[in-house]
Amino acid sequence: MSNPVRLRVGIGYDFHPFQEDRPLFLGGVDIPHPRGLRGHSDADAALHAVADALLGAAGLGDIGTQFPDTDPRYKDISSLSLLDRVAAALRHRGCQVVNVDLVIIAEEPLIKPHVAAMKANLARVLHLDIDDVGVKATTMEGKGVIGRREGIAVQAVALIHQTGAP
Ligand code: MG
């Protein structure tokens, strides 16, 4: 039976290890830091987690199938551009984003000074009000792979409203 309310939720998760001599992009913000994240694109784990949450909610698979890391077109590409394409794919399916919420799990750098800029980036690309974008951060209290400062993980959820025909 189809969902009469047509509200759909999606979850996303991403992890990227740190790499020396790479810029650090998180939430579309170029954060001054000695290390960036390793990945085929700009490795923005926050935007990747949000993209996966949106794609999951819309039944469109995941970022790995939409933008394969074997495709040279996506080498070092800005993840804001990938998220913009995800947003366009959702609109094409008649899906409107209601809100997104994410938590960045990182021992370093300090995320708080960059939260406002991250929220502004997400709101702009997803056509949302700032209040419909949640960005939070926590640490692993020194434990595990993140606690050892080996990388950054991000969890995201997204709610979408399907207003048109798929
Ligand atoms: Mg990723």
Side-chain angles (χ1 to χ4, degrees):
M1 186 189 285
S2 66
N3 176 1
V5 181
R6 296 186 136 195
L7 286 172
R8 299 167 61 108
V9 68
I11 185 171
Y13 174 86
D14 198 20
F15 172 88
H16 283 264
F18 278 120
Q19 180 180 323
E20 304 289 336
D21 302 319
R22 284 258 298 179
L24 175 61
F25 289 100
L26 216 46
V29 179
D30 186 353
I31 298 177
H33 196 63
R35 298 186 293 169
L37 296 173
R38 185 165 75 222
H40 184 67
S41 66
D42 66 5
D44 190 323
L47 297 188
H48 293 180
V50 171
D52 264 353
L54 291 167
L55 290 168
L60 289 171
D62 64 26
I63 195 170
T65 50
Q66 293 281 336
F67 312 106
D69 64 8
T70 50
D71 190 328
R73 281 180 300 170
Y74 305 126
K75 177 100 177 82
D76 295 326
I77 194 174
S78 165
S79 295
L80 282 170
S81 162
L82 298 181
L83 190 61
D84 190 49
R85 293 176 206 201
V86 167
L90 261 68
R91 284 196 298 277
H92 188 68
R93 275 179 83 86
C95 296
Q96 184 182 335
V97 184
V98 177
N99 74 304
V100 296
D101 191 23
L102 64 96
V103 56
I104 297 166
I105 307 153
E107 217 72 20
E108 63 176 65
L110 192 59
I111 302 299
K112 201 169 181 180
H114 308 288
V115 164
M118 292 180 189
K119 289 174 74 167
N121 284 337
L122 284 159
R124 184 181 70 252
V125 174
L126 300 178
H127 302 184
L128 290 171
D129 290 338
I130 289 283
D131 290 347
D132 297 326
V133 179
V135 176
K136 303 178 296 301
T138 190
T139 73
M140 286 294 287
E141 303 283 345
K143 302 296 185 189
V145 64
I146 292 168
R148 291 192 299 271
R149 301 167 188 264
E150 293 175 12
I152 291 177
V154 182
Q155 293 180 333
V157 289
L159 186 69
I160 67 172
H161 184 207
Q162 193 166 34
T163 54

